[in-house]
């Protein structure tokens, strides 16, 4: 174990606590590398993720020598697949393809994750390839220009998807000038302007041992994992004897958001209006996060939810309609989505807002509370059958929450939520400034009613 | 077991054979209901599917008293969630939501499937609800009109997705007048014209005991499953003592397709061109289907594939590029997809065709063959960790193939494929008429080169 600090169940180390599950282990190497694993009995496969707590929100806060460019985090993510001194891009692709593994990466607003799902016997290969990519990518200038074209096509694809466009604009609308409001991938201008030197500086500044978090779930033995990882990182050229503390987690103090009630319309000659409406939500560590899960479930998740019943079942106004809560370290979003006919968009927006205000005014029923708890527990149990869900849960525990919560503990917390808690949270949410984004053949006048406080008087009974 | 015919491993019954896996069982009830299960050791969840071998292709071949309407199969699928004598639509939604289960349905070209994924303890509930929906749905006229609005929104959503539009048009282009070429959901005109009587006739004609196939995978005991199912179907009003043979599988004789090389452009003011190009493929029972899997994998699946390397890695022309093979009882499709800039669409189309012709001319390497076999085996092993994949595999075995093939047997067949087999199949494919569909800001003149046989002379080395 080479001097790693190991965290048994229930103890606390560097602000990290683990509750409930004896099969989760965490080690901090002297170099600051953190390793978390969850062994799943009977599993024959494994998912491994290499994480850094750097996302699109950090692009102008990176401490590299050159200014980073919007979209450079995502650009770098692409380039890590393009070759090292030891492996060409094709070598990397063949390594995973030839064993039928999944390998990919995800750039988010607050982190970047490179991951692979493979059969148990292929875990050492996956660790070797990911460690090489993470430490030793070349960012070859020719590959850089080639990949620029790929990324521009990726942005074009998203630009042709009205739901994607609505989502990007919704974050801007709700979070205002906060860096979490920016699109993850940059835009065509910033990608065309991106330089290899700036992305290289970004790589050097943010992919150090103390930045790396490795999480693994499935068929994994923790001690062997730590040994394999140390060997792979050392072989790739890292000095793991140099002492460094892990990078600290971000501040969890809610940010001040300068944003007001507003309607944004992106006019497009398409069939549906893609409608998003919502307010600033909770930060990831907010103590009301279990309450938010219950509210979001009863209000807008599943076919029995308020939104589905009111908008689709009773009126046939939409095919897809739901709510969502997304939480980051210092800001969050609570939103509602529907895709509907242009002539009905104003009605749907008013219905969505009215339903949320109805919960604020009257709460949910004990039946709805009970069902939401059952839904959250059952859905979590099913989701945790996939090792990638468990791998991500470990990453979120380390990077965002500072604690690991197993299913039993999560259910215990959910069971403590009361109808009063849900109503109070709904009251808090409806008091915040509503933003509305519509992409489609519509205009702002359709939504004045939904954005006025008077919307609560609409009769939707 | 009430007189059910039970199929042990390796035996053949009614043209159905099972090879390799002792945990698969099949029963045929006297009423013609078929039940297949696969018990997965250690699983705590289960996926159940209720299938009928009726899809959009059958809409004018249904033997109901009234003529069916295009889209009526999909319309009926929606209506089965809208209530029975015993359960309202909300009751059904609450049953599944309150345990966090997934429940949904899928209308395809040759079948319709209602399915649920739940924890083991909730399987009897899922069987009870699905049996009630399948046997006793009311198709209430008011719900019918409401759901018409929902389906029109679903069609609009698909109509706003350029990749969806390209896919629908591609099937029409390759399969011509064959009923498999039609869109599954109908179109707004046929949905607006649909009547409750026609959909009711469709329901009565095609949802009889001899039409029903139930497949279950995960935490399931076959004998208990058959008992639960018989009780649920009887309770819902079915007479399971009436004797009927199961409906026969479709003809697997390849259909004559009247189709020629053609370019179809759907002009849209969007950023990317969504490009599909391909030819008629193999039927589902073709003895070359393992060869097709190997060809499709080496040619267009994964980052090391020919298409990905030529179009994305070497030239940066697309973000998403791949090939696919879809097989039905009497027709199939082999296709290639890319999303790219309008100015590059002609080049990408020529590259795709040239690469396929290169395989026809020179074959693939032994290395590529070996990698493709590894990729197929590993990806299948990972996919089979999900009980829904196993549930679907059973349905496909019963409805389409007439045999169950476990992973070991599938790998054995893949290992028999030679480089010559792959080259021969590629030669066969390139001799068939190519169709090309492009959705985006382009026109037919961009693709003349790709659709001419002379495309093979393009230098893409």
């Amino acid at each position: 174990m080479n001097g790693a600090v190991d965290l048994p169940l229930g103890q606390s180390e560097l602000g990290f606590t683990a509750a409930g599950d004896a099969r989760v282990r965490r080690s901090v190497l002297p170099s600051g590398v953190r390793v978390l694993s969850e062994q799943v009995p009977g599993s024959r496969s494994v998912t491994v993720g290499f994480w850094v707590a750097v996302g699109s929100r950090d692009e102008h806060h990176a401490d590299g020598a050159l200014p980073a460019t919007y979209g450079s985090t995502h650009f770098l993510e692409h380039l890590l697949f393009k070759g090292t001194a030891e492996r060409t891009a094709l070598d990397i692709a063949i390594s995973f393809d030839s064993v039928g593994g999944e390998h990919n990466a995800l750039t988010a607003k607050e982190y970047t994750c490179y991951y692979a799902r493979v059969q148990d016997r292929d875990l050492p290969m996956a660790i070797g390839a990911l460690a090489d990519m993470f430490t030793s990518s070349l960012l070859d200038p020719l590959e850089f220009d080639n990949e620029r074209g790929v990324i521009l096509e990726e942005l074009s694809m998203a630009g042709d998807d009205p739901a994607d466009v609505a989502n990007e604009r919704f974050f801007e609308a709700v979070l205002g000038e906060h860096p979490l409001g920016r699109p993850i991938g940059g835009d065509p201008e910033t990608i065309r302007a991106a330089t290899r030197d700036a992305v290289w500086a970004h790589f050097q500044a943010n992919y150090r041992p103390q930045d790396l978090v490795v999480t693994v779930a499935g068929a994994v033995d923790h001690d062997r994992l730590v040994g394999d990882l140390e060997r792979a990182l050392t072989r790739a050229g890292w000095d793991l004897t140099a002492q460094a503390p892990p990078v600290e987690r971000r501040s969890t103090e809610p940010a001040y958001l300068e944003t007001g009630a507003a309607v944004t319309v992106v006019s497009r000659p398409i069939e549906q209006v893609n409608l998003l409406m919502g307010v600033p939500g909770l930060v990831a560590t907010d103590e009301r996060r279990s309450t938010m899960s219950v509210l979001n479930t009863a209000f807008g998740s599943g076919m029995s939810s308020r939104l589905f019943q009111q908008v689709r079942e009773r009126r046939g106004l939409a095919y897809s309609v739901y709510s969502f809560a997304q939480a980051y370290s210092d800001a969050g979003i609570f939103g509602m989505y529907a895709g509907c006919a242009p002539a009905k968009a104003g009605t749907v927006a008013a219905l969505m807002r009215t339903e949320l205000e109805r919960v604020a005014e009257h709460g949910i029923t004990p039946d709805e509370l009970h069902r939401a708890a059952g839904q959250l527990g059952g859905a979590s149990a099913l989701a945790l059958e996939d090792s990638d869900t468990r791998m991500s849960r470990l990453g979120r525990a380390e990077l965002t929450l500072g604690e690991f919560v197993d299913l039993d503990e999560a259910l215990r917390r959910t069971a403590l939520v009361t109808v009063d808690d849900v109503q109070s949270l709904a009251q808090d949410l409806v008091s915040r400034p509503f933003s509305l984004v519509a992409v489609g053949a519509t205009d702002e006048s359709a939504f004045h009613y939904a954005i006025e406080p008077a919307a609560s008087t609409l009769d939707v009974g």
Side-chain angles (χ1 to χ4, degrees), chain A residues 438-450:
Chain A
V439 177
T442 186
D443 60 60
E444 295 185 16
S445 66
F447 305 108
H448 286 165
Y449 190 60

Side-chain angles (χ1 to χ4, degrees), chain A residues 213-385:
Chain A
V213 171
V214 176
T215 72
V216 184
V220 59
D221 174 87
H222 188 77
D223 294 334
R224 193 180 310 154
L225 165 67
V226 172
D228 285 349
L229 180 66
E230 287 179 325
R231 270 187 299 280
L233 292 171
T234 303
R235 176 184 160 86
W238 266 12
D239 176 10
L240 292 181
T241 62
Q243 307 263 327
V247 292
E248 291 185 14
R249 263 184 297 279
R250 295 172 201 279
S251 162
T252 58
E253 192 64 33
Y256 174 71
L257 299 175
E258 204 161 348
T259 170
V263 173
T264 308
V265 171
V266 180
S267 181
R268 290 208 176 175
I270 54 180
E271 296 182 41
Q272 282 197 316
V273 171
N274 285 263
L275 193 62
L276 280 166
M277 183 161 59
V279 296
L282 305 183
V283 303
T285 52
D286 192 296
E287 59 183 15
R288 293 170 294 172
R289 59 191 185 272
S290 294
T291 303
M292 179 61 103
S293 294
V294 171
L295 170 60
N296 183 51
T297 299
F299 181 71
S301 299
M303 295 190 189
S304 65
S305 68
R306 293 275 183 107
L307 273 187
F308 196 92
Q309 288 292 317
Q310 289 292 342
V311 176
R312 176 166 161 170
E313 291 292 271
R314 295 180 63 170
R315 293 177 181 80
L317 294 171
Y319 171 72
S320 178
V321 54
Y322 57 84
S323 66
F324 57 96
Q326 287 192 290
Y328 302 92
S329 58
D330 62 349
I333 277 190
F334 178 79
M336 302 172 270
Y337 170 85
C340 62
K344 303 296 175 62
T347 303
V348 170
L351 269 171
M352 295 198 300
R353 175 146 188 187
T354 301
E355 274 306 302
L356 190 59
E357 286 173 342
R358 189 190 292 263
V359 175
E361 197 171 342
H362 303 291
I364 62 173
T365 67
D367 259 8
E368 287 178 304
L369 180 79
H370 181 73
R371 267 157 41 198
Q375 186 171 346
L376 286 164
S380 298
L382 291 174
L384 288 171
E385 294 198 330

Side-chain angles (χ1 to χ4, degrees), chain A residues 402-424:
Chain A
E403 65 166 354
F404 173 82
V405 176
D406 78 351
L407 182 57
D408 287 339
E409 173 63 12
L411 294 183
R412 196 189 64 75
R413 294 182 187 181
T414 301
L416 295 176
V417 174
T418 67
V419 289
D420 288 345
D421 292 337
V422 173
Q423 184 171 4
S424 295

